[in-house]
Amino acid sequence: MIDVAFLGTHVRPTATAVVIDVLRATSTITLALASGYSRVLVAGSIDEATALRTPERTLAGEVGCARAPGFDLGNSPEETLEPRTAELVLATTNGAPAIVAAAASADEVLVASLLNMGAVLEQLAAREDVLLVCAGTDGRVSMEDVYLAGRLSAGLDGARSDAARVAEAFAAAYPDPLDALSASAGAVGLRREGLESDIAFCAQESIVEVVGRLSEMVEGAALLTAEPTTAAAPAAELHT
Amino acid sequence: MIDVAFLGTHVRPTATAVVIDVLRATSTITLALASGYSRVLVAGSIDEATALRTPERTLAGEVGCARAPGFDLGNSPEETLEPRTAELVLATTNGAPAIVAAAASADEVLVASLLNMGAVLEQLAAREDVLLVCAGTDGRVSMEDVYLAGRLSAGLDGARSDAARVAEAFAAAYPDPLDALSASAGAVGLRREGLESDIAFCAQESIVEVVGRLSEMVEGAALLTAEPTTAAAPAAELHT
């Protein structure tokens, strides 16, 4: 069954959970892994991320869309294009709890964005029990997450739930992903902070081939590593 | 703000909550009130409904879509067309908890179905903070509920959440409500039980003018009474 959870807190037992936080956590995680960070530690808050700081880790995180005080990077995917260390610590208020909740009820947890949509679909092709988990924003459904859930559901074979069909119909209403992302409540906040370019960046489809996979919990953070697809170079070759 | 909760368990504080369980609880409640039952007691289980039995109350409820053993009626709206008593007790596994959850976080709770969609929209016209609550089925999102939420949202003025816009886009994909209801997982169960006619019945738009409103909790059940719209006859005239 292909199913969709409209909020990160609404996961249920499943074989494979795919966490979606298009603006911007899962886009940033995906691009960081594709850019050469070998490990991304996803923390649930600025404080938790700060506690993970070591000289070997780059800290990324936002407060109200802007870079957190004292952090190396904000939460713009493009800031991860040139890795500074092997490990990135990313503080994200919506993505992290969604990943942790998914980990508690799924055999495996992947991370999806539009940036790696094609690679995610390749990974999911052989799966029969998939829950697409929309992280949402502060307990509210985010349309950009539902959009990607709908695109992923539409790209998979097999029976689907009513929730998956709602997401598919919603995605079908937006021929251009940028329109779906731009219309979202999340886009309003990004534009207010002068981060409009992030919206267009996150709307790019299938520009990288790696898929973040939850490896284990490390000091309370979710450790994600790159899962190369059959079409991509081995993850090792992408790492610094 | 016009907002949508995709599941009955996902309510948040709001001025007005509108509970939606199209197949079939809120359709049955609505038709019962329109047909002349003056009070509908909504119980969360067959056992709770049984405990409310008195000679002055008609008991309605289903087990797997079929009439519950020993009950007077099943959960088909049409069974309420000729009231047997002044009070109807309706056992519903998804609608009742959604109403109770809504009551805990909303100033007022209304009940909507396609049958009284126009009357609900009239009631909501002056409201600014509306949460449309899709009851769902056993913790799963039901497309027929999202469909009505989308129709209601589209009929209201004011700012709307991402969730409301997802529901609106979904509803817009189905020009005929019967198509949306027929495509749902809930319809599969009704057809299996030979209750296909309920699907077409519940797909009728705005055939009655009353709106069920939560009055109070009575012996653990939610007491709903009829709220007449300005366009309708006073509720008293509709009662037997």
Side-chain angles (χ1 to χ4, degrees), chain A residues 7 20 42 45 49 60 73 142 145 175 215:
Chain A
L7 280 173
I20 298 168
V42 181
S45 69
L73 311 174
S142 292
D145 296 341
S215 172

Side-chain angles (χ1 to χ4, degrees), chain A residues 3 6 10 12 140-144 146 161-163 165-166 169-170 173 183-185, chain B residues 3 6 10 12 140-144 146 161-163 165-166 169-170 173 183-185:
Chain A
D3 193 11
F6 286 104
H10 304 160
R12 58 166 184 79
R140 299 292 191 96
V141 173
S142 292
M143 59 194 287
E144 69 274 17
V146 178
S161 68
D162 278 15
R165 291 191 290 168
V166 168
F170 175 70
S184 70
Chain B
D3 193 12
F6 287 103
H10 304 159
R12 58 165 184 77
R140 300 293 191 96
V141 173
S142 292
M143 59 194 290
E144 69 274 17
V146 178
S161 68
D162 278 16
R165 291 191 287 169
V166 168
F170 175 70
S184 70

